[in-house]
Amino acid sequence: MDAIEITGGKPLHGEVKVSGSKNATLPQIAAALLSPGASIFRGVPDLADIRALGRLLSHMGARVDREGGLLRVDASAVANPEATYELVKTMRASVLVLGPLVTRFGRARVSLPGGCAIGARPIDQHLKGLEALGARIELSHGYVEAKADRLRGAKVLFDLPTVTGTENLMMAAALAEGQTVLENCAREPEVIALAEALNGMGGRISGAGSSVITIDGVSALRPMDIEVIPDRIEAGTLLMAAMITGGDVLVRGAKADHLDAALAKMREAGAKISEESHGLRIVAPQKPHAVDFITAPFPGFPTDLQAQLMACLSIAKGASRVVETVFENRFMHVQELSRMGADIAIDGHTAVVRGVANGRPARRGHDRGAARLPP
Ligand code: UD1
């Protein structure tokens, strides 16, 4: 889709079902590399990042088939544990193949992800962790080359909670010899979903969802057959779409315990949100109140919902203060909101959003030639 045209001014009403989580599916597909045989994934969203990871695994020799929401990945014939720059540059999460490859095949060559629109996003914590497990890591010509006979369990203390870093290390440690203890881990629901998938493959992982995860390595894993968890970012986005239009929407599949921080802020802004048997229902206020919020690793307010809540606040009553602490360059949407009439001032990691009466329509892309919609 090259362009999306929105005719605004109508409150959203009705029901909508949330898709499977992209950020939960990506590490689980990477985990299929840990075992020969066919892993099955159900409820997989049809997104560019999922297709990119599928291409990456096919390039290594895996068989990847898709039929609707069902994805089948057979990693029996993987012969080429390499992820080239051409494949990695389209999606940073490709780095998730590093841990599984080095622990199962004893070697991996994975391109560094390179620059990223929302900041430098280094992978030093992934590499430090793999080295602690005994991998020999070399960086050459933009590639990470990792080698190991068999990884050995160790204690790893992350400098900061990293989601894909925690996931990479969990996967590597699953086939390592002995016990690994990961400290200062990311606590996101996607980390828990990966631990459950690995345990379903015969792994021995405990503590996911807390900051300390213990992994007792096993000598082999079997393929998995799993249902993908609902996408909490999509769910939050849909709730905020209802909020910004003053609507009344039931988001089927939305889980309150995945969205506590976002729901608290939406309630503070005046929304009524109730848990129903199949999801979350939001009844939006006529106009939201201003609220201050700060992004943080889970269970804090997710950086991936910062732009959406800021859009709501740009038409709220009063001034809100938004602080972004997870990524250093994640206010790219501000310029676009300003073009639609928002009043937002940025100072470093802080944005002050003064609510305006109503946004005005704006175009992005057409009037700027090659400009693209944000990811
Ligand atoms: C994941 C999510 C992404 C979300 C982000 C933060 C996936 C596929 N993507 O990204 O949607 O925005 O979590 O919730 O799950 N960092 C380091 N060194 C490292 C790793 C990370 O300094 O080795 C820093 C990053 O630059 C960033 C912070 O840690 O400032 C958090 O990043 P991280 O949790 O790793 O994000 P991703 O896993 O890439």
Side-chain angles (χ1 to χ4, degrees), residues 18-67:
V18 68
S19 318
S21 160
K22 171 183 75 92
N23 285 353
T25 311
L26 292 171
Q28 289 172 341
I29 293 177
L33 288 168
L34 290 167
S35 113
S39 286
I40 311 277
F41 306 90
R42 299 169 197 275
V44 174
D46 186 17
L47 298 172
D49 281 4
I50 304 282
R51 290 194 289 270
L53 189 59
R55 277 198 300 282
L56 187 63
L57 265 59
S58 306
H59 186 79
M60 292 174 193
R63 211 186 136 161
V64 181
D65 303 295
R66 178 167 191 141
E67 223 183 284

Side-chain angles (χ1 to χ4, degrees), residues 22-23 26-27 92-93 96 118 120-126 160-165 167 186 188 190 232 303-304 325-328 330:
K22 171 183 75 92
N23 285 353
L26 292 171
R92 188 193 134 79
L96 283 165
I118 57 172
R121 296 180 104 182
I123 56 162
D124 56 304
Q125 299 301 306
H126 303 232
L160 44 74
T162 151
V163 178
T164 46
E167 293 166 345
E188 270 69 359
E190 295 77 17
R232 66 193 164 97
T303 176
D304 290 352
T325 71
V326 179
F327 291 114
E328 71 267 32
R330 218 180 190 181

Side-chain angles (χ1 to χ4, degrees), residues 10-346:
K10 288 198 189 88
L12 296 173
H13 285 283
E15 287 187 25
V16 58
K17 187 170 182 300
V18 68
S19 318
S21 160
K22 171 183 75 92
N23 285 353
T25 311
L26 292 171
Q28 289 172 341
I29 293 177
L33 288 168
L34 290 167
S35 113
S39 286
I40 311 277
F41 306 90
R42 299 169 197 275
V44 174
D46 186 17
L47 298 172
D49 281 4
I50 304 282
R51 290 194 289 270
L53 189 59
R55 277 198 300 282
L56 187 63
L57 265 59
S58 306
H59 186 79
M60 292 174 193
R63 211 186 136 161
V64 181
D65 303 295
R66 178 167 191 141
E67 223 183 284
L70 194 134
L71 186 79
R72 191 170 165 277
V73 178
D74 188 336
S76 306
V78 168
N80 172 29
E82 180 177 81
T84 62
Y85 179 65
E86 283 61 43
L87 291 163
V88 172
K89 74 174 180 199
T90 59
M91 192 198 32
R92 188 193 134 79
S94 310
V95 72
L96 283 165
V97 300
L98 187 58
L101 289 177
V102 71
T103 198
R104 177 160 163 228
F105 300 101
R107 67 195 170 93
R109 185 167 183 271
V110 176
S111 169
L112 287 165
C116 170
I118 57 172
R121 296 180 104 182
I123 56 162
D124 56 304
Q125 299 301 306
H126 303 232
L127 302 184
K128 176 180 103 166
L130 290 172
E131 275 180 329
L133 266 56
R136 298 179 295 283
I137 307 256
E138 273 181 33
L139 298 181
S140 77
H141 306 294
Y143 278 78
V144 180
E145 299 201 336
K147 291 199 180 111
D149 298 328
R150 186 177 174 198
L151 296 177
R152 286 181 315 277
K155 183 173 143 178
V156 176
L157 171 60
F158 293 112
D159 293 355
L160 44 74
T162 151
V163 178
T164 46
T166 302
E167 293 166 345
N168 231 338
L169 264 293
M170 260 173 21
M171 292 188 280
L175 284 179
E177 193 185 330
Q179 189 175 77
T180 298
V181 179
L182 306 177
E183 292 181 350
N184 198 19
C185 292
R187 298 162 59 188
E188 270 69 359
E190 295 77 17
V191 172
I192 301 177
L194 177 64
E196 285 171 358
L198 292 169
N199 285 340
M201 297 172 82
R204 292 176 57 206
I205 299 174
S206 60
S210 77
S211 57
V212 180
I213 300 179
T214 304
I215 302 120
D216 288 297
V218 295
S219 54
L221 292 164
R222 52 182 179 268
M224 71 189 111
D225 183 337
I226 54 146
E227 181 81 36
V228 174
I229 61 168
D231 195 309
R232 66 193 164 97
I233 303 304
E234 183 179 301
T237 303
L238 293 166
L239 291 168
M240 288 179 195
M243 171 110 153
I244 200 168
T245 61
D248 176 349
V249 171
L250 172 67
V251 181
R252 287 188 172 274
K255 284 168 128 13
D257 56 343
H258 287 184
L259 281 162
D260 278 337
L263 299 184
K265 286 296 154 185
M266 294 171 78
R267 286 187 174 119
E268 204 179 313
K272 290 196 168 49
I273 300 172
S274 50
E275 272 187 74
E276 309 229 328
S277 56
H278 298 294
L280 294 174
R281 180 171 170 211
I282 177 167
V283 179
Q286 279 258 313
K287 197 172 169 63
H289 302 288
V291 292
D292 296 338
F293 73 100
I294 172 164
T295 64
F298 193 86
F301 189 96
T303 176
D304 290 352
L305 285 173
Q306 180 250 108
Q308 296 90 316
L309 185 55
M310 192 189 285
C312 291
L313 298 176
S314 62
I315 54 147
K317 269 182 264 171
S320 311
R321 193 164 167 271
V322 178
V323 184
E324 170 62 51
T325 71
V326 179
F327 291 114
E328 71 267 32
N329 182 24
R330 218 180 190 181
F331 283 143
M332 292 104 68
H333 48 283
V334 166
Q335 208 185 343
E336 302 302 328
L337 288 172
S338 304
R339 294 176 67 235
M340 297 174 80
D343 177 356
I344 304 172
I346 300 178

